[in-house]
Amino acid sequence: MLDYTNTTAQLTEHNLDTVVIPVGATEQFGPYLPMHLDTLIAEKYAKAYGEVLNAYVLPALPFNTSEEHANFKGTVTISPNILTAMLEEIIFNLSKQGFCKFLICSGHGGAYWEGAFIKHINYKYPDILVIHPHHQHDAWSVAVKAAGFEGIEELHGGFMSVCTALWLCPENVILQSMGSEIPDRNRIFADFMGWDKLTKDGCWGNYVPGELTKEEMAEKGRVFWETFISRKCKGLKEVLEEAYQRKTDRKS
């Protein structure tokens, strides 16, 4: 694996043909967690996937389609048209240098553009392949069980997010109660309405200080994400290589 801190001579010498493009976000995680958590998660993804695929790993883009959080101060949201246009430019430019396989990994769960973009780019450019690492459909449930998060009704900014932040950036965490129980009916509106209309403070879930120490919560965060990422890495290289061969097989 090489990344953007390496030199052009090193990239040329290693003759890599695969690129990992991580996309994070800058968005609210309730009143007391930092807004770069999705970017830190995307960086974790990218490093692990880059090692498995022996790829060139780009720096994480820190912005995403975060419309649901846009009314909370500090959140940055970019339209899907602008974001996907930039990603297409990146892919096209690198394809001219000999890269032909690309993996997109988004740290933001609200990146609904991802599937449509990947399908379109694969149709538009017949000589390259773009995929996402979504082949292990049980990865989330396996990680939830490993970390002991079963039964937690959380989408964003609750106990799991606190554990994640305490693992990734403990110096940025303020441990105060936040969030609330969200009515199940609100899920109907979650994909097309601002969460300032659906939650008390941006949290879909809640955190109340309890018996666990910071270290214990951070460990739960580590176990969850390392299990999740490890599961997503399993079989990823095989999927990428088979997909590329199938797509570029001129006999098809």
Side-chain angles (χ1 to χ4, degrees):
M1 183 196 85
L2 298 177
D3 65 20
Y4 60 95
T5 65
N6 289 105
T7 68
T8 189
Q10 290 171 321
L11 284 167
T12 302
E13 177 186 355
H14 284 79
N15 196 32
L16 304 182
D17 66 359
T18 304
V19 179
V20 175
I21 307 175
V23 185
T26 300
E27 62 182 35
Q28 68 86 21
F29 266 85
Y32 303 121
L33 295 181
M35 287 185 282
H36 68 322
L37 286 185
D38 285 344
T39 301
L40 296 181
I41 291 167
E43 289 173 346
K44 290 287 186 182
Y45 287 159
K47 185 175 187 299
Y49 301 151
E51 290 174 349
V52 167
L53 300 175
N54 189 29
Y56 171 41
V57 177
L58 296 184
L61 301 174
F63 306 123
N64 213 314
T65 52
S66 300
E67 293 91 344
E68 66 271 33
H69 306 297
N71 289 331
F72 294 89
K73 193 165 186 175
T75 294
V76 176
T77 189
I78 295 180
S79 78
N81 291 340
I82 297 298
L83 179 57
T84 56
M86 180 170 63
L87 289 171
E88 182 174 355
E89 288 290 312
I90 292 168
I91 290 169
F92 179 71
N93 171 259
L94 291 175
S95 72
K96 294 175 70 174
Q97 300 172 11
F99 293 101
C100 56
K101 304 166 191 169
F102 298 85
L103 181 134
I104 304 283
C105 55
S106 175
H108 170 44
Y112 301 144
W113 53 267
E114 188 180 28
F117 170 73
I118 288 172
K119 183 171 68 170
H120 177 68
I121 293 299
N122 280 312
Y123 169 73
K124 186 174 181 179
Y125 299 100
D127 295 324
I128 66 171
L129 176 76
V130 184
I131 71 168
H132 49 43
H134 298 342
H135 58 294
Q136 297 289 356
H137 301 297
D138 65 346
W140 188 268
S141 60
V142 169
V144 164
K145 184 175 181 180
F149 286 144
E150 300 101 321
I152 295 177
E153 294 293 328
E154 177 180 334
L155 295 182
H156 184 91
F159 178 63
M160 291 176 63
S161 295
V162 172
C163 292
T164 297
L166 285 171
W167 175 51
L168 292 173
C169 53
E171 68 280 3
N172 300 129
V173 178
I174 300 172
L175 286 179
Q176 293 192 33
S177 295
M178 63 180 189
S180 60
E181 297 297 328
I182 306 299
D184 287 342
R185 183 166 180 78
N186 285 17
R187 288 177 180 266
I188 297 172
F189 312 108
D191 290 342
F192 52 81
M193 187 178 294
W195 284 17
D196 56 311
K197 305 294 186 181
L198 301 174
T199 70
K200 183 181 74 172
D201 56 7
C203 297
W204 203 297
N206 69 316
Y207 167 71
V208 178
E211 297 180 356
L212 295 181
T213 66
K214 291 181 181 180
E215 293 74 20
E216 289 169 332
M217 287 189 287
E219 178 64 8
K220 291 177 79 68
R222 183 194 67 79
V223 169
F224 175 83
W225 287 107
E226 289 188 353
T227 302
F228 182 67
I229 293 170
S230 176
R231 187 71 176 171
K232 300 270 262 184
C233 284
K234 186 176 179 181
L236 180 60
K237 185 172 180 61
E238 291 77 9
V239 169
L240 178 72
E241 296 299 335
E242 181 179 345
Y244 181 73
Q245 290 302 318
R246 285 173 176 261
K247 184 181 179 187
T248 58
D249 182 1
R250 301 310 181 196
K251 296 178 183 179
S252 299

